[in-house]
Amino acid sequence: MNTAKDGNAVPAEGAEPISCTIEELIERARSLAEGSRRILGITGAPGAGKSTVAEAVAEALGAQAARVGMDAFHLANTVLAEHGSRDRKGAPDTFDSWGYANLLRRLKDNDEPVVYAPVFDRSLEESIGSAIPVERAVPLVITEGNYLLLDTDGWAACRELIDEVWYLEVAESERQVRLVRRHEAFGKPHDEAEAWALGSDQRNADVVDATRERADLVVALTGHPKPASYAQA
Protein backbone atom coordinates (compact mmCIF):
# COMPACT_ATOMS: atom_id res chain seq x y z
CA MET A 1 0.00 0.00 0.00
CA ASN A 2 1.11 3.57 -0.62
CA THR A 3 1.36 4.91 2.93
CA ALA A 4 3.59 7.28 4.85
CA LYS A 5 5.46 6.40 8.05
CA ASP A 6 2.70 7.96 10.14
CA GLY A 7 0.16 5.62 8.56
CA ASN A 8 -1.56 8.30 6.49
CA ALA A 9 -2.13 7.84 2.79
CA VAL A 10 0.37 9.35 0.38
CA PRO A 11 -1.37 11.23 -2.46
CA ALA A 12 -1.21 9.20 -5.66
CA GLU A 13 1.73 10.66 -7.58
CA GLY A 14 0.63 11.25 -11.16
CA ALA A 15 -2.52 9.32 -10.27
CA GLU A 16 -0.77 6.04 -11.00
CA PRO A 17 -2.92 3.09 -9.89
CA ILE A 18 -1.72 0.85 -7.07
CA SER A 19 -2.51 -2.83 -7.41
CA CYS A 20 -3.86 -4.32 -4.21
CA THR A 21 -6.29 -6.91 -2.92
CA ILE A 22 -9.57 -6.36 -1.11
CA GLU A 23 -7.88 -7.75 2.00
CA GLU A 24 -5.27 -4.98 1.84
CA LEU A 25 -8.00 -2.37 1.49
CA ILE A 26 -9.80 -3.84 4.48
CA GLU A 27 -6.64 -3.57 6.59
CA ARG A 28 -6.17 0.02 5.41
CA ALA A 29 -9.73 0.80 6.48
CA ARG A 30 -9.20 -0.98 9.80
CA SER A 31 -6.31 1.37 10.59
CA LEU A 32 -8.56 4.35 9.82
CA ALA A 33 -11.10 3.00 12.31
CA GLU A 34 -8.67 3.38 15.21
CA GLY A 35 -9.44 6.40 17.36
CA SER A 36 -11.97 9.18 16.79
CA ARG A 37 -14.57 9.35 14.01
CA ARG A 38 -13.16 9.35 10.49
CA ILE A 39 -14.77 9.23 7.07
CA LEU A 40 -13.51 7.06 4.21
CA GLY A 41 -14.65 7.86 0.68
CA ILE A 42 -14.69 5.37 -2.19
CA THR A 43 -15.12 6.83 -5.67
CA GLY A 44 -14.68 5.98 -9.34
CA ALA A 45 -16.64 6.01 -12.56
CA PRO A 46 -20.08 4.36 -12.76
CA GLY A 47 -19.58 0.60 -12.72
CA ALA A 48 -16.12 0.73 -11.11
CA GLY A 49 -17.28 -1.40 -8.17
CA LYS A 50 -17.62 1.25 -5.45
CA SER A 51 -20.63 -0.29 -3.74
CA THR A 52 -19.12 -3.78 -3.88
CA VAL A 53 -15.87 -2.64 -2.24
CA ALA A 54 -17.66 -0.46 0.32
CA GLU A 55 -19.92 -3.37 1.25
CA ALA A 56 -16.98 -5.78 1.58
CA VAL A 57 -15.02 -3.36 3.79
CA ALA A 58 -18.04 -2.53 5.97
CA GLU A 59 -18.89 -6.21 6.40
CA ALA A 60 -15.31 -7.04 7.41
CA LEU A 61 -15.16 -4.23 9.98
CA GLY A 62 -18.55 -5.04 11.47
CA ALA A 63 -19.49 -2.72 14.35
CA GLN A 64 -16.45 -0.54 13.65
CA ALA A 65 -17.96 0.85 10.45
CA ALA A 66 -21.16 2.22 8.99
CA ARG A 67 -21.87 2.70 5.29
CA VAL A 68 -23.74 5.62 3.74
CA GLY A 69 -24.02 6.50 0.07
CA MET A 70 -23.94 9.63 -2.07
CA ASP A 71 -26.69 8.15 -4.26
CA ALA A 72 -29.21 8.77 -1.48
CA PHE A 73 -28.99 12.45 -2.44
CA HIS A 74 -30.40 11.98 -5.93
CA LEU A 75 -33.07 14.60 -6.51
CA ALA A 76 -36.53 13.04 -6.68
CA ASN A 77 -37.78 12.07 -10.13
CA THR A 78 -40.58 14.65 -9.91
CA VAL A 79 -38.00 17.39 -9.23
CA LEU A 80 -35.82 16.19 -12.10
CA ALA A 81 -38.84 16.25 -14.40
CA GLU A 82 -39.59 19.83 -13.36
CA HIS A 83 -35.97 20.77 -14.09
CA GLY A 84 -36.01 18.98 -17.44
CA SER A 85 -33.13 16.75 -16.36
CA ARG A 86 -34.86 13.40 -15.84
CA ASP A 87 -32.93 11.91 -18.78
CA ARG A 88 -29.64 13.05 -17.21
CA LYS A 89 -30.24 11.47 -13.81
CA GLY A 90 -26.84 10.75 -12.31
CA ALA A 91 -25.12 13.93 -13.53
CA PRO A 92 -23.58 16.14 -10.80
CA ASP A 93 -26.37 18.72 -10.90
CA THR A 94 -29.05 16.06 -10.38
CA PHE A 95 -27.97 15.57 -6.75
CA ASP A 96 -28.43 17.63 -3.60
CA SER A 97 -24.69 18.06 -3.06
CA TRP A 98 -25.16 20.53 -0.20
CA GLY A 99 -27.51 18.13 1.55
CA TYR A 100 -24.87 15.40 1.25
CA ALA A 101 -22.23 17.79 2.64
CA ASN A 102 -24.49 18.56 5.60
CA LEU A 103 -24.89 14.86 6.35
CA LEU A 104 -21.13 14.33 6.18
CA ARG A 105 -20.63 17.30 8.52
CA ARG A 106 -23.02 15.81 11.09
CA LEU A 107 -21.24 12.47 10.80
CA LYS A 108 -17.81 14.08 11.07
CA ASP A 109 -18.73 16.24 14.07
CA ASN A 110 -20.21 13.16 15.78
CA ASP A 111 -22.04 15.28 18.35
CA GLU A 112 -25.35 13.39 18.18
CA PRO A 113 -26.16 10.03 19.80
CA VAL A 114 -27.23 8.73 16.39
CA VAL A 115 -27.46 10.16 12.87
CA TYR A 116 -30.03 8.65 10.52
CA ALA A 117 -28.83 8.68 6.91
CA PRO A 118 -30.99 8.16 3.81
CA VAL A 119 -30.57 5.28 1.35
CA PHE A 120 -31.18 5.07 -2.41
CA ASP A 121 -33.52 2.26 -3.46
CA ARG A 122 -32.61 1.23 -7.00
CA SER A 123 -35.81 -0.77 -7.42
CA LEU A 124 -37.79 2.44 -6.81
CA GLU A 125 -35.20 4.81 -8.31
CA GLU A 126 -35.90 7.04 -5.30
CA SER A 127 -34.34 7.77 -1.91
CA ILE A 128 -35.73 6.70 1.46
CA GLY A 129 -34.98 9.02 4.38
CA SER A 130 -33.71 8.12 7.85
CA ALA A 131 -32.97 4.53 6.84
CA ILE A 132 -29.41 3.98 8.11
CA PRO A 133 -28.62 4.61 11.81
CA VAL A 134 -25.02 5.66 12.49
CA GLU A 135 -24.35 5.60 16.22
CA ARG A 136 -21.80 7.84 17.92
CA ALA A 137 -19.64 4.86 18.93
CA VAL A 138 -18.94 3.89 15.31
CA PRO A 139 -15.38 5.07 14.52
CA LEU A 140 -15.45 4.82 10.70
CA VAL A 141 -18.07 5.95 8.20
CA ILE A 142 -17.64 4.60 4.68
CA THR A 143 -19.28 6.61 1.93
CA GLU A 144 -19.21 5.91 -1.79
CA GLY A 145 -20.22 7.87 -4.86
CA ASN A 146 -19.13 9.27 -8.20
CA TYR A 147 -18.40 12.85 -7.28
CA LEU A 148 -16.48 12.78 -4.00
CA LEU A 149 -13.52 14.53 -5.66
CA LEU A 150 -15.42 17.10 -7.69
CA ASP A 151 -14.34 20.65 -6.80
CA THR A 152 -17.57 22.52 -7.59
CA ASP A 153 -20.59 23.63 -5.55
CA GLY A 154 -21.34 21.45 -2.54
CA TRP A 155 -19.04 18.69 -3.77
CA ALA A 156 -15.95 20.62 -2.69
CA ALA A 157 -17.47 20.95 0.79
CA CYS A 158 -17.98 17.18 0.83
CA ARG A 159 -14.34 16.51 -0.02
CA GLU A 160 -13.16 18.69 2.86
CA LEU A 161 -15.04 16.46 5.30
CA ILE A 162 -13.67 13.13 4.01
CA ASP A 163 -10.41 12.01 5.59
CA GLU A 164 -9.28 9.70 2.80
CA VAL A 165 -10.61 8.98 -0.70
CA TRP A 166 -9.87 5.87 -2.76
CA TYR A 167 -10.42 6.02 -6.52
CA LEU A 168 -11.23 2.62 -8.04
CA GLU A 169 -9.95 2.05 -11.55
CA VAL A 170 -11.15 -0.72 -13.85
CA ALA A 171 -10.81 -1.50 -17.56
CA GLU A 172 -13.36 0.43 -19.63
CA SER A 173 -14.68 -2.66 -21.39
CA GLU A 174 -15.38 -4.46 -18.11
CA ARG A 175 -16.89 -1.37 -16.51
CA GLN A 176 -19.33 -0.87 -19.38
CA VAL A 177 -20.37 -4.53 -19.37
CA ARG A 178 -21.13 -4.22 -15.64
CA LEU A 179 -23.27 -1.14 -16.26
CA VAL A 180 -25.32 -2.79 -18.99
CA ARG A 181 -25.93 -5.81 -16.75
CA ARG A 182 -26.92 -3.58 -13.84
CA HIS A 183 -29.44 -1.64 -15.92
CA GLU A 184 -30.86 -4.89 -17.25
CA ALA A 185 -31.13 -6.28 -13.71
CA PHE A 186 -33.31 -3.30 -12.79
CA GLY A 187 -35.68 -3.72 -15.71
CA LYS A 188 -34.22 -1.96 -18.74
CA PRO A 189 -34.31 -3.84 -22.08
CA HIS A 190 -30.84 -4.60 -23.44
CA ASP A 191 -30.85 -1.87 -26.10
CA GLU A 192 -31.99 0.76 -23.60
CA ALA A 193 -29.49 -0.46 -21.00
CA GLU A 194 -26.65 -0.25 -23.49
CA ALA A 195 -27.71 3.21 -24.70
CA TRP A 196 -27.78 4.51 -21.12
CA ALA A 197 -24.41 2.94 -20.23
CA LEU A 198 -22.70 4.35 -23.32
CA GLY A 199 -24.54 7.66 -23.19
CA SER A 200 -25.49 9.27 -19.87
CA ASP A 201 -23.26 6.96 -17.79
CA GLN A 202 -20.28 7.55 -20.06
CA ARG A 203 -20.65 11.33 -19.88
CA ASN A 204 -20.67 11.06 -16.08
CA ALA A 205 -17.66 8.70 -16.19
CA ASP A 206 -15.70 11.32 -18.12
CA VAL A 207 -16.45 13.89 -15.38
CA VAL A 208 -15.35 11.46 -12.68
CA ASP A 209 -12.18 10.48 -14.53
CA ALA A 210 -11.06 14.13 -14.55
CA THR A 211 -11.04 14.08 -10.72
CA ARG A 212 -8.85 11.01 -10.15
CA GLU A 213 -5.64 12.96 -9.49
CA ARG A 214 -7.22 14.38 -6.33
CA ALA A 215 -7.54 10.93 -4.77
CA ASP A 216 -5.36 9.77 -1.89
CA LEU A 217 -5.12 6.33 -3.51
CA VAL A 218 -5.88 5.17 -7.05
CA VAL A 219 -6.62 1.47 -6.75
CA ALA A 220 -6.56 -1.31 -9.32
CA LEU A 221 -8.18 -4.18 -7.44
CA THR A 222 -6.58 -7.60 -7.88
CA GLY A 223 -7.20 -11.09 -6.59
CA HIS A 224 -10.83 -10.45 -5.67
CA PRO A 225 -13.42 -12.84 -7.13
CA LYS A 226 -16.32 -10.97 -8.69
CA PRO A 227 -19.78 -12.34 -7.82
CA ALA A 228 -22.45 -12.56 -10.48
CA SER A 229 -23.95 -9.32 -9.20
CA TYR A 230 -20.65 -7.41 -9.44
CA ALA A 231 -22.19 -4.81 -11.76
CA GLN A 232 -22.21 -2.29 -8.95
CA ALA A 233 -21.87 1.48 -8.76
Side-chain angles (χ1 to χ4, degrees):
M1 297 296 289
N2 190 22
T3 55
K5 292 181 180 179
D6 60 2
N8 292 322
V10 175
E13 296 183 6
E16 288 298 320
I18 299 166
S19 296
C20 61
T21 64
I22 189 65
E23 289 78 17
E24 289 175 303
L25 291 181
I26 288 169
E27 289 310 306
R28 175 70 204 173
R30 202 182 303 280
S31 69
L32 289 173
E34 296 175 357
S36 59
R37 169 67 58 79
R38 304 189 80 181
I39 299 179
L40 166 65
I42 301 176
T43 192
K50 299 181 293 296
S51 297
T52 299
V53 171
E55 182 179 0
V57 173
E59 183 177 339
L61 267 61
Q64 288 185 295
R67 178 184 163 207
V68 302
M70 182 203 85
D71 279 356
F73 289 87
H74 272 292
L75 297 179
N77 290 332
T78 53
V79 174
L80 295 176
E82 291 172 1
H83 291 177
S85 54
R86 179 68 178 87
D87 62 343
R88 296 191 304 105
K89 186 172 184 176
D93 64 310
T94 64
F95 290 86
D96 176 13
S97 59
W98 287 108
Y100 181 44
N102 285 332
L103 173 66
L104 292 179
R105 186 172 294 107
R106 291 175 66 197
L107 291 168
K108 181 74 172 177
D109 290 346
N110 202 19
D111 292 332
E112 304 166 49
V114 60
V115 173
Y116 290 93
V119 67
F120 185 69
D121 188 324
R122 288 195 179 277
S123 64
L124 299 175
E125 281 292 306
E126 295 281 10
S127 297
I128 300 173
S130 303
I132 302 173
V134 182
E135 297 184 359
R136 183 185 286 158
V138 175
L140 182 67
V141 174
I142 302 167
T143 188
E144 80 273 8
N146 292 343
Y147 305 121
L148 306 190
L149 298 172
L150 208 60
D151 62 354
T152 60
D153 301 324
W155 301 115
C158 294
R159 177 63 184 99
E160 291 176 0
L161 293 160
I162 303 174
D163 295 283
E164 182 168 310
V165 179
W166 302 342
Y167 185 103
L168 302 185
E169 193 158 78
V170 66
E172 279 292 284
S173 57
E174 181 177 356
R175 186 182 65 78
Q176 290 172 353
V177 167
R178 293 179 188 176
L179 282 174
V180 172
R181 289 176 178 169
R182 184 175 75 188
H183 291 315
E184 289 177 330
F186 286 97
K188 282 185 172 65
H190 178 75
D191 289 349
E192 185 179 341
E194 192 171 66
W196 193 275
L198 300 179
S200 177
D201 282 339
Q202 187 56 51
R203 288 191 293 274
N204 297 335
D206 292 340
V207 172
V208 177
D209 183 63
T211 71
R212 68 195 290 279
E213 291 190 0
R214 302 189 189 106
D216 296 297
L217 297 173
V218 178
V219 176
L221 198 61
T222 61
H224 181 50
K226 305 178 186 68
S229 60
Y230 196 75
Q232 299 265 350

